[in-house]
Amino acid sequence: MIKEGKTMQELDVVCEQIECAQHPEDIFGVESNKVLVKNIFRQLSKVVHPDRNNGDARANNAFVKLTEYYEGAIKKLTNGTYGDTLSEEQTNVSDSDSFTIQTRKNTYTITKTLAEGDLGVVYGGQAIGDEFNGPIAVKVVDDNADNDLMQNEIKILQLFKNNPANQLKHLPVLLDRFKTSDGQLGTIMEYIDGYDLYSIREGLRWKYGIDQKHVVWMMNRTLSAIGYAHSQGCVHGNIDPSHIMIRPRDHNAWIIDWCYSALNPAQTGDGFKVLNEEFSAPEVAQKKPPLPASDLYSLGKTMIFALGGDVKTNVMPASVDIALQRFLKFFVLESPRQRAQDAWEMHAMLNDLVVELWGPKKFLEFQI
Ligand SMILES: Nc1ncnc2c1ncn2[C@@H]1O[C@H](COP(=O)(O)OP(=O)(O)OP(=O)(O)O)[C@@H](O)[C@H]1O
Ligand SMILES: [Mg+2]
């Protein structure tokens, strides 16, 4: 048992850091040397040392892993490979959309292009291996200069994986990562058999906006995902219609693309990484620190778009109930202090509003 509150908190933070690490560099920094590595090792091992934690299992495991990473770091510093975290996992990504990726964990065959995003290409394929068998989505950056954004997404998805909760069903699942022979970073995620909001609106059925009774369940799921991310200290930073995916058959929804997110911005100074002209809150252009309310602004704009509204003026189709319009306008107030703040509180308010408007909830088939 660990007694002191302060020590417990410190232990949690250090364990989390060690559990999230995949390479010695994740603990000792990409640019390091033997003295620095030794110092960091000494400090961290003081926190997780078994003698100090009365046999606490999590601390013991962290200490074992830390020692392994320490030995690995010293070895890499000695043979000159320190800082190179992915050289063992290189693959050739050709221009065609049919190729194979081999990592230490698994084999992945790519068979098609799913989307061409801002950062790179998202391919579709299949994982074949003991660890995971099933459909996958593979995202590869076009330009090595964007590797840090990809690395950021890996860090966040790993954090989510390490903190299981019901809300993970609304978030992408990271399976693996790799580096191409040209040095571009790529991630392998479970395939989401859904459609992003742009493609839903592009279809004929919802050309003028998605019915409000469907938009509310989409918003309910996404608020739940955001509430969880915020509880982990993470602000998404780029919620827009391309980053919300919907699976019609069971009304599931996902928030994807965590490349631009900021982790514990108030403590770390981590800032916004992109300005999304139509969906970013005003504080992004003002280069202010990311806030949970910044995501709620972007979600409000995205839902106005989903309903067929005008994201510039916030005018929504007259068919949208005035109470729902009022609720959404609370999300898109220019001043972050006046706008909606807490995703889980908004989730509860939305549930109440839906029951008030249309009575007890029932499943309505959604077709696209
Ligand atoms: N796990 C997934 N399963 C199925 N499709 C996906 C998945 N991840 C992404 N996609 C598709 O690819 C599109 C782009 O994905 P994403 O936004 O993650 O990458 P990107 O746009 O290249 O990156 P960024 O926006 O950071 O520049 C999504 O809108 C979606 O259509
Ligand atoms: Mg994207």
Side-chain angles (χ1 to χ4, degrees):
M1 286 291 284
I2 306 124
K3 291 194 186 84
E4 280 170 70
K6 193 160 172 265
T7 316
M8 173 106 178
Q9 232 180 27
E10 199 184 12
L11 178 65
D12 267 348
V13 171
V14 175
C15 284
E16 174 94 32
Q17 189 194 353
I18 296 169
E19 286 157 7
C20 283
Q22 297 195 338
H23 305 276
E25 289 84 348
D26 297 333
I27 292 176
F28 303 107
V30 177
E31 293 199 8
S32 206
N33 55 50
K34 284 189 181 172
V35 177
L36 212 58
V37 165
K38 271 183 194 158
N39 279 339
I40 295 172
F41 174 68
R42 206 172 298 131
Q43 279 169 26
L44 296 181
S45 52
K46 265 190 212 154
V47 181
V48 292
H49 200 284
D51 293 350
R52 216 186 146 200
N53 294 297
N54 298 332
D56 177 75
R58 190 177 180 203
N60 282 358
N61 289 338
F63 182 72
V64 171
K65 209 170 160 197
L66 175 67
T67 311
E68 281 169 16
Y69 281 134
Y70 171 68
E71 285 162 2
I74 297 295
K75 205 156 142 197
K76 286 177 102 174
L77 281 162
T78 308
N79 67 22
T81 59
Y82 193 87
D84 181 1
T85 55
L86 288 158
S87 60
E88 321 89 286
E89 298 174 20
Q90 283 180 2
T91 188
N92 283 311
V93 174
S94 60
D95 285 338
S96 92
D97 55 8
S98 162
F99 51 91
T100 302
I101 297 168
Q102 179 70 55
T103 71
R104 273 179 296 194
K105 269 191 183 175
N106 227 339
T107 304
Y108 307 95
T109 55
I110 306 304
T111 46
K112 56 179 177 247
T113 300
L114 294 176
E116 300 209 10
D118 307 322
L119 272 193
V121 182
V122 180
Y123 299 97
Q126 198 75 18
I128 310 147
D130 298 338
E131 195 140 329
F132 179 79
N133 260 304
I136 49 162
V138 177
K139 182 158 136 180
V140 195
V141 296
D142 281 337
D143 185 347
N144 296 4
D146 289 325
N147 279 356
D148 55 341
L149 290 173
M150 194 65 112
Q151 190 68 55
N152 194 43
E153 183 170 43
I154 292 171
K155 178 179 83 182
I156 300 298
L157 296 183
Q158 192 61 46
L159 171 79
F160 293 164
K161 215 178 207 179
N162 291 341
N163 291 279
N166 283 340
Q167 291 80 11
L168 293 194
K169 61 175 180 280
H170 306 306
L171 293 162
V173 177
L174 177 71
L175 295 170
D176 208 347
R177 59 183 184 167
F178 61 94
K179 209 169 200 180
T180 69
S181 46
D182 292 335
Q184 300 138 294
L185 200 50
T187 52
I188 295 161
M189 293 169 288
E190 278 183 20
Y191 174 72
I192 297 171
D193 57 339
Y195 307 85
D196 63 72
L197 284 175
Y198 278 128
S199 30
I200 295 178
R201 283 286 319 276
E202 272 158 20
L204 277 184
R205 188 184 294 268
W206 306 115
K207 195 171 155 199
Y208 300 108
I210 303 170
D211 187 287
Q212 57 181 339
K213 289 191 181 169
H214 288 299
V215 171
V216 289
W217 62 252
M218 295 173 186
M219 188 165 189
N220 168 295
R221 311 297 191 262
T222 42
L223 275 172
S224 157
I226 296 175
Y228 166 81
H230 290 175
S231 75
Q232 299 299 319
C234 175
V235 174
H236 183 285
N238 193 18
I239 293 176
D240 77 358
S242 73
H243 296 147
I244 292 189
M245 294 194 69
I246 302 294
R247 184 165 62 193
R249 75 175 142 85
D250 61 355
H251 288 190
N252 201 1
W254 285 261
I255 299 194
I256 64 162
D257 197 354
W258 294 80
C259 285
Y260 305 93
S261 49
L263 191 57
N264 298 319
Q267 289 83 38
T268 58
D270 203 1
F272 287 113
K273 298 170 182 66
V274 69
L275 175 66
N276 186 321
E277 213 177 299
E278 291 185 311
F279 296 93
S280 284
E283 56 269 26
V284 180
Q286 293 157 2
K287 300 198 180 344
K288 293 202 174 139
L291 298 167
S294 318
D295 277 348
L296 296 183
Y297 179 99
S298 303
L299 181 69
K301 287 278 180 185
T302 303
M303 292 297 123
I304 290 173
F305 166 84
L307 286 162
D310 181 335
V311 289
K312 289 209 166 72
T313 59
N314 301 327
V315 171
M316 288 168 249
S319 55
V320 178
D321 195 285
I322 204 72
L324 181 58
Q325 292 202 25
R326 210 179 303 126
F327 181 70
L328 285 171
K329 285 189 177 158
F330 181 39
F331 282 66
V332 293
L333 290 173
E334 297 288 294
S335 156
R337 285 203 195 156
Q338 280 162 6
R339 98 172 64 107
Q341 301 284 321
D342 184 315
W344 274 331
E345 202 182 301
M346 291 305 109
H347 181 261
M349 272 178 79
L350 178 63
N351 274 333
D352 291 347
L353 177 64
V354 168
V355 175
E356 213 173 279
L357 289 177
W358 303 305
K361 286 199 204 171
K362 49 180 184 281
F363 186 86
L364 295 177
E365 196 183 335
F366 181 62
Q367 291 181 336
I368 64 161

